[in-house]
Amino acid sequence: MLLEVEGLTKSYAGPDGPVPVLRGVDLSLAAGRTLALTGESGSGKSTLLHLVGGLDTADGGAIRLDGQEVSTLDDRGRAALRRGAVGVIFQQFNLIPSLDVAANIAFQARLAGTADRGRIDRLARALGLAGQMAKFPEQLSGGQQQRVAIARTLAARPRLVLADEPTGNLDEATSAAVLEELLALVAETGAALLMVTHSPALAARMERRLHLSRGRLA
Amino acid sequence: MTAAGLQALWSHWRRNPLQLFTLLAGLALATALWSGVQAINAEARASYAAAAATLGEGQFDQLVPRAGETMPQARFVALRRAGWLVSPVLEGELDRDGGDVRLVGLEPLTAPGGLGPVRPGAGGGDLADALGGGVVFAHPDTAARLAGLGPRVVADRGVAPGTAVADIGLAQRLLDLRGRISRLILAPGQPVGRPPLAEVAPDLVRRAAQGRAEVARLTDSFHLNLTAFGLLSFAVGIFIVHGTIGLAFEQRRGMVRTLRALGMPLRRLVMLMAAELALVALVAGGLGIALGYLVAAALLPDVAATLEGLYGAQVSGTLALRPAWWLSGLAIALGGTGLAAAGALWRIARMPILASARPRAWSMAAGRARRWQAAGAVGLLAVAGALAQWGGGLVSGFVLLGCLLLGAALALPLVLDPLLAAAQRGARRAVAEWFWADTRQQLPGLSLALMALLLAIAANVGVSTMVSSFRLTFTGFLDQRLAAELYVSAEDAQEAAALEAFLAPRARAVLPLLSVETRLAGRPAELMGARVGPTYARNWEFLAAEAPVWARVEAGEAVIVNEQLARRAGLWVGDDLAVGPGRRLPVAGVFGDYGNPVGQAIVGEDLFREMFPQVRATQFGVRSDDPDALRRALVAEFGLPRARIVDQARAKAASMRVFERTFTVTGALNVLTLAVAAFAILTSLLTLASMRLPQLAPAWALGLTRARLGRLELVRALVLAVLTAALALPLGLVLAWVLLAIVNVEAFGWRLPMHLFPVDYLRLGAFALLAAGIAALWPARRLARTPPSDLLKVFANER
């Protein structure tokens, strides 16, 4: 099993004491499979994604990626995890504004030491970005920016792709096109995809669906 | 509505206390340095005015001896008998603990009104009553040092610092100068038909009133220098204020839009924002004035020593709280804030109600302003170049400095950007490429702080080059001019003759210092007669000369002139100078004469004695192989007091001491300016830190640790400081050249050779780097410790 999550808990500090966000979540995901995580706002979807991606630390429970315990990694270990094994696609794209498209796509792969010029060019062509490589993020549309974010993630060849509402900022037509490209490319690389989404239509495209409600999987 | 609006506006500062602190601190620092300098200037000018009132300087014409320091009292009697309305003054130094006190003796019955410390109604009685009873008046600072003198000492703030005033008879007794006077003051409205001066007292010359005290004119350039420094520091502080106000206004665009949407008229809103800033300016101005007082109080003793050493001006070492400077401090705080906020207020006033509430990216805002900035920089640098080529006068020199510094500051980001772009192109690794690209993006936000750093480093390089060049030249100059082992002063011509006769067989050479005050090339100047010998030939160096200089001077065939006279009169080697009626001599050499405000020409001793047979030397330079033995012999034979025999080492040490203190003030201002620049970097980094998260969070999410991001932030500040320092070096050297070749020549009449001091520049660069590093340390540490939850907020979908 690529990803195993057991009894995961997480709280945030609130004005009246800790506010529990995750109350013991268990899930698993095999390599090459896709999983949709749905739930209402504040149900803990993004928090779960952040914990799995090594962006945050859990209060309790375990996260294993390829058998390696993630929740006990220190700052440096989690950074290495984010560079190599995991790729995160954000709703807000989170491109680096000071780098052009080509540098943005290559960035994570270069950090991980896995940059491959040919693969980057192929991804750019596949995502319709070949003519945009010298542009900066602020010169691109939302759809183009999200394609750059997808290309950046996939160029690093992560084993697990985490997508947090990847089409939430896009119109319907662009959203559909981007999703198709994402699914095709993930399938091609053999990575697993865990996608957080509000959209039932988007969730329906995944092999499995889980619903998170008030910090628990329903 | 006004209260609600103010509450909304003020809530921004409550939520951003660091920004408010930055604004207050930047403005307070700017005001402090400006008002500190103004306090020093005000104190010094008040002291000059007091001195002028006491001594009658500048107010009345005077008669002074053509040669020597004093004249017999008989000249006064002869002139009064001939109908001249003159009043005698005697000046001398009293050797007291804590330094000499200048004692001025006045003759109360003949002194013109308004002279002296006691004015009618200012304590009852007139000057005659006040001075008649064996009383000495002194500034409160000085009065304590006169305890035990004998006569009663009365403290009076109307007397100039370091000075005491007494009846002339009492002064003659205290100074042991019975029957001697220094000068005669001419009352306005002299009777018609009195005999000419040349008939009654041919050994006296009339010196016209100049409207202002001589010392006030002489020190103008020094005070202008201080003011320029104060203005530079103020400009650096205003950079901070401008940056902070710009950022705060950008961040409040959303609030402004909402307030207007809710019905607040634009005019009212702009007025409220202006009033809010005025309040901040008044609070910061008050803090700045308090700080400025402390700065001035700390620097004033050194300034006083400088002014005394350079110009003989006595300035009180304690600071009075004068309304003129603290009001000007508040005014400049308000004016500076208005200047810094004008652009931001103008943008708010022109902003359409439906404009985007999102703060504009620094880079976008800067991109639009870049063309204007480039045009401004080129324009200012062109004006500076034109002034260097064709300008004239001291004010033009300072305008040149202003244009040069401001133009270079504006050009800085435009020069840094391509350098950073080149570094990015050359980067091989992902982090390095991101680092350079991100640094480029930070440039607009940091450029004001970097401009401040550029100005501070350039000012340091410029001033330290000037001072070190001056020191090097001055040391050589002292070796040249103080070649004799001993300098001996005689009381009068009779004693001088006896001294010369005594010294001749005992010394290697006796060099009489013959001089008269005269006019050369239409200007007041000093003409000296030199006994030419190996001392002069071996030690004197010329800025320009036509050999054999000394042989021609000795033969009475040529004259040498100091640089001041040469530049002011447009003379150079080979030109003719009229040294007396019907006597013109070619200029054989021009010599450097650093620190001397007046023109000087030197002819051979024989020619001098022929032209001025009545003049006797009362001072001698003495060359001796055993100066200590000779000093003992002089004391034993003539009973000369210590002050009248000065040895070379003591004279050099005293000169160097004065020299070092002269530049203590500029050194202190240099350090303060650098500190303000470091503060500017700190505040810029802190205010940018909150805006940086969206730019840094993706890099963190993609695998850079927070600690590494923090280290990179520190490295970024250091890299920018290094680049800025590297660009500041040539700017500082140009600044030094302007100071030495233009400002100095205009202010003092002489030009110094420029020397380079690479080790000093390296040390300064290290200091600048240290300052930038310290300033960046806190923001970098904060970034390294940013909780992941703050970084995660960047990725939150429902922001």
Side-chain angles (χ1 to χ4, degrees):
Chain A
M1 195 57 66
L2 177 70
L3 173 68
E4 292 170 285
V5 175
E6 286 176 10
L8 201 62
T9 59
K10 176 74 179 174
S11 302
Y12 290 118
D16 304 319
V19 179
V21 182
L22 296 178
R23 304 163 189 257
V25 173
D26 302 293
L27 67 84
S28 60
L29 182 63
R33 311 308 294 263
T34 59
L35 169 64
L37 195 60
T38 59
E40 64 273 20
S41 294
S43 62
K45 305 184 298 291
S46 292
T47 300
L48 177 58
L49 204 74
H50 292 157
L51 294 176
V52 170
L55 292 164
D56 205 352
T57 50
D59 295 341
I63 302 168
R64 282 186 292 278
L65 193 68
D66 256 350
Q68 184 194 7
E69 183 57 68
V70 172
S71 47
T72 56
L73 291 174
D74 61 5
D75 213 26
R76 192 185 292 258
R78 289 200 306 278
L81 178 83
R82 296 196 299 270
R83 281 200 297 272
V86 176
V88 187
I89 301 167
F90 299 97
Q91 181 183 350
Q92 304 288 348
F93 326 132
N94 289 309
L95 301 178
I96 294 178
S98 50
L99 296 178
D100 62 21
V101 168
N104 260 293
I105 292 176
F107 190 72
Q108 191 173 2
R110 291 175 67 194
L111 284 182
T114 57
D116 172 352
R117 192 72 251 169
R119 177 174 174 76
I120 289 167
D121 289 342
R122 276 199 304 282
L123 279 168
R125 275 198 303 275
L127 288 160
L129 295 169
Q132 318 290 332
M133 300 295 265
K135 289 186 177 172
F136 284 84
E138 65 185 24
Q139 297 170 297
L140 302 180
S141 68
Q144 288 171 322
Q145 289 192 51
Q146 192 58 291
R147 286 188 174 94
V148 175
I150 291 169
R152 177 178 68 183
T153 300
L154 297 177
R157 293 178 186 275
R159 280 167 287 158
L160 174 63
V161 175
L162 302 172
D164 190 1
E165 300 276 11
T167 58
N169 267 353
L170 307 178
D171 62 67
E172 205 171 327
T174 311
S175 173
V178 166
L179 183 68
E180 286 305 328
E181 289 156 2
L182 175 63
L183 287 173
L185 290 166
V186 167
E188 182 193 308
T189 57
L193 172 66
L194 171 56
M195 180 186 291
V196 164
T197 180
H198 277 297
S199 161
L202 217 62
R205 302 292 309 275
M206 301 292 120
E207 293 166 343
R208 283 171 64 209
R209 285 162 294 281
L210 291 174
H211 186 77
L212 198 59
S213 178
R214 304 179 72 177
R216 288 197 177 88
L217 286 172
Chain B
M1 183 163 63
T2 299
L6 271 178
Q7 188 188 15
L9 289 173
W10 192 248
S11 68
H12 173 82
W13 300 115
R14 276 211 316 272
R15 301 263 306 163
N16 297 278
L18 189 64
Q19 217 174 64
L20 180 62
F21 168 75
T22 303
L23 182 59
L24 284 170
L27 197 52
L29 278 176
T31 312
L33 292 178
W34 167 263
S35 62
V37 164
Q38 291 312 310
I40 290 171
N41 283 346
E43 194 62 47
R45 290 194 176 116
S47 294
Y48 306 151
T54 308
L55 309 174
E57 281 180 10
Q59 300 174 55
F60 306 103
D61 286 6
Q62 302 187 42
L63 300 178
V64 295
R66 194 177 287 278
E69 299 288 311
T70 60
M71 64 179 101
Q73 194 165 317
R75 295 285 175 281
F76 164 60
V77 178
L79 282 161
R80 289 294 295 197
R81 281 187 182 146
W84 284 72
L85 297 179
V86 289
S87 180
V89 176
L90 175 66
E91 287 176 66
E93 304 292 330
L94 284 172
D95 189 8
R96 308 298 298 173
D97 288 343
D100 289 347
V101 173
R102 187 182 192 187
L103 179 64
V104 180
L106 302 172
E107 211 283 306
L109 296 174
T110 54
L115 191 62
V118 183
R119 293 154 297 282
D126 60 16
L127 188 61
D129 291 341
L131 292 177
V135 176
V136 175
F137 288 88
H139 188 274
D141 287 356
T142 318
R145 283 160 50 201
L146 295 175
L149 186 66
R152 189 162 66 89
V153 179
V154 175
D156 187 329
R157 286 199 75 86
V159 182
T163 304
V165 180
D167 173 77
I168 192 162
L170 178 58
Q172 285 173 332
R173 192 153 47 82
L174 292 172
L175 293 169
D176 198 17
L177 286 170
R178 287 164 208 276
R180 308 294 301 178
I181 53 181
S182 304
R183 54 199 167 90
L184 291 160
I185 293 174
L186 283 162
Q190 294 285 329
V192 190
R194 65 198 192 287
L197 182 65
E199 202 175 285
V200 190
D203 55 340
L204 302 187
V205 288
R206 183 171 180 151
R207 189 186 288 161
Q210 280 143 347
R212 296 172 61 206
E214 177 83 354
V215 74
R217 287 187 305 109
L218 285 176
T219 53
D220 265 355
S221 59
F222 180 81
H223 291 295
L224 190 58
N225 213 335
L226 273 188
T227 303
F229 243 116
L231 210 54
L232 178 66
S233 305
F234 183 74
V236 170
I238 287 300
F239 277 150
I240 304 174
V241 176
H242 179 78
T244 313
I245 290 177
L247 177 63
F249 275 43
E250 282 302 310
Q251 289 178 344
R252 291 200 290 190
R253 282 164 71 91
M255 181 194 290
V256 167
R257 192 182 67 163
T258 307
L259 285 172
R260 289 186 62 196
L262 294 176
M264 167 88 65
L266 178 63
R267 190 187 170 87
R268 174 86 62 100
L269 191 57
V270 170
M271 283 182 69
L272 284 180
M273 292 178 101
E276 175 197 44
L277 285 177
L279 180 69
V280 169
L282 284 175
V283 172
L287 285 172
I289 287 164
L291 271 174
Y293 185 86
L294 294 177
V295 168
L299 294 181
L300 194 59
D302 283 323
V303 172
T306 299
L307 290 165
E308 187 180 354
L310 274 182
Y311 310 103
Q314 296 285 336
V315 173
S316 171
T318 53
L319 198 62
L321 203 61
R322 294 172 200 283
W325 74 261
W326 64 258
L327 279 174
S328 81
L330 279 184
I332 198 140
L334 278 168
T337 309
L339 194 70
L345 281 171
W346 177 247
R347 280 197 298 276
I348 292 285
R350 287 173 55 221
M351 190 177 86
I353 196 165
L354 292 177
S356 165
R358 285 179 59 203
R360 294 170 308 158
W362 280 97
S363 56
M364 288 168 66
R368 277 196 289 280
R370 191 169 290 183
R371 278 191 298 277
W372 284 108
Q373 194 171 329
V378 170
L380 285 166
L381 292 174
V383 171
L387 285 173
Q389 187 68 35
W390 297 293
L394 194 56
V395 174
S396 158
F398 277 103
V399 173
L400 191 171
L401 282 182
C403 289
L404 174 71
L405 290 175
L406 202 57
L410 286 177
L412 177 69
L414 309 175
V415 177
L416 283 179
D417 190 63
L419 289 177
L420 296 173
Q424 187 186 347
R425 280 195 300 277
R428 291 285 164 267
R429 303 184 61 165
V431 175
E433 189 184 354
W434 168 76
F435 173 81
W436 292 113
D438 194 53
T439 304
R440 270 184 84 191
Q441 200 183 38
Q442 298 318 303
L443 198 53
L446 283 171
S447 61
L448 283 173
L450 293 176
M451 288 179 196
L453 185 65
L454 177 88
L455 294 185
I457 299 175
N460 269 274
V461 169
V463 173
S464 69
T465 301
M466 181 187 77
V467 172
S468 300
S469 295
F470 199 174
R471 183 182 289 118
L472 216 60
T473 311
F474 192 65
T475 312
F477 168 72
L478 284 181
D479 290 341
Q480 168 184 315
R481 299 302 287 269
L482 296 175
E485 282 73 23
L486 289 179
Y487 290 85
V488 184
S489 306
E491 188 115 274
D492 50 35
Q494 197 180 346
E495 189 182 55
L499 272 172
E500 193 171 1
F502 177 80
L503 288 167
R506 293 172 173 83
R508 225 175 336 124
V510 178
L511 308 169
L513 304 178
L514 290 157
S515 75
V516 287
E517 281 192 27
T518 181
R519 293 183 76 81
L520 294 172
R523 290 167 174 76
E526 192 179 13
L527 182 66
M528 300 186 73
R531 181 173 293 171
V532 176
T535 301
Y536 290 112
R538 278 191 206 135
N539 290 294
W540 279 53
E541 285 176 13
F542 291 95
L543 301 174
E546 205 173 79
V549 180
W550 288 110
R552 291 168 67 201
V553 170
E554 187 176 18
E557 293 167 0
V559 61
I560 56 174
V561 298
N562 70 356
E563 190 186 0
Q564 287 83 324
L565 179 60
R567 290 194 186 277
R568 286 172 194 154
L571 289 169
W572 213 247
V573 174
D575 295 339
D576 278 356
L577 172 69
V579 291
R583 195 180 292 267
R584 297 186 73 82
L585 290 175
V587 175
V590 179
F591 57 92
D593 194 9
Y594 308 109
N596 183 5
V598 297
Q600 197 177 73
I602 300 178
V603 294
E605 183 184 2
D606 294 343
L607 176 59
F608 185 91
R609 290 194 192 281
E610 184 191 324
M611 290 167 67
F612 304 98
Q614 78 285 7
V615 173
R616 294 276 179 272
T618 53
Q619 284 185 302
F620 302 92
V622 183
R623 303 303 313 263
S624 168
D625 296 325
D626 190 355
D628 287 339
L630 194 55
R631 168 196 280 276
R632 284 194 296 275
L634 279 167
V635 173
E637 182 71 21
F638 294 90
L640 291 182
R642 188 167 175 266
R644 284 172 48 192
I645 312 174
V646 178
D647 65 56
Q648 184 197 57
R650 193 149 65 97
K652 277 185 186 171
S655 299
M656 286 311 292
R657 205 164 43 245
V658 166
F659 177 84
E660 297 298 344
R661 287 198 79 173
T662 298
F663 291 102
T664 307
V665 181
T666 42
L669 285 174
N670 265 339
V671 171
L672 287 174
T673 312
L674 200 59
V676 172
F679 183 74
I681 293 176
L682 170 70
T683 55
S684 296
L685 290 174
L686 284 177
T687 47
L688 284 176
S690 58
M691 302 168 72
R692 295 273 290 134
L693 283 187
Q695 293 153 13
L696 294 171
W700 169 75
L702 295 176
L704 293 184
T705 61
R706 291 171 296 158
R708 190 167 184 197
L709 287 174
R711 283 198 299 275
L712 287 173
E713 284 293 282
L714 185 62
V715 172
R716 187 190 325 280
L718 293 177
V719 163
L720 288 173
V722 166
L723 289 175
T724 305
L727 293 169
L729 179 62
L731 177 65
L733 293 179
V734 174
L735 178 67
W737 179 82
V738 173
L739 286 170
L740 290 170
I742 297 179
V743 173
N744 225 42
V745 174
E746 297 294 347
F748 303 112
W750 33 264
R751 178 176 178 165
L752 282 166
M754 183 165 153
H755 300 275
L756 298 181
F757 304 89
V759 177
D760 287 359
Y761 305 146
L762 276 176
R763 193 182 306 124
L764 177 63
F767 275 132
L769 213 60
L770 188 69
I774 290 171
L777 208 55
W778 184 25
R781 194 164 172 271
R782 266 173 42 133
L783 176 62
R785 296 185 170 202
T786 304
S789 56
D790 286 359
L791 289 161
L792 284 171
K793 282 178 193 162
V794 174
F795 309 125
N797 294 339
E798 286 123 21
R799 277 188 293 171

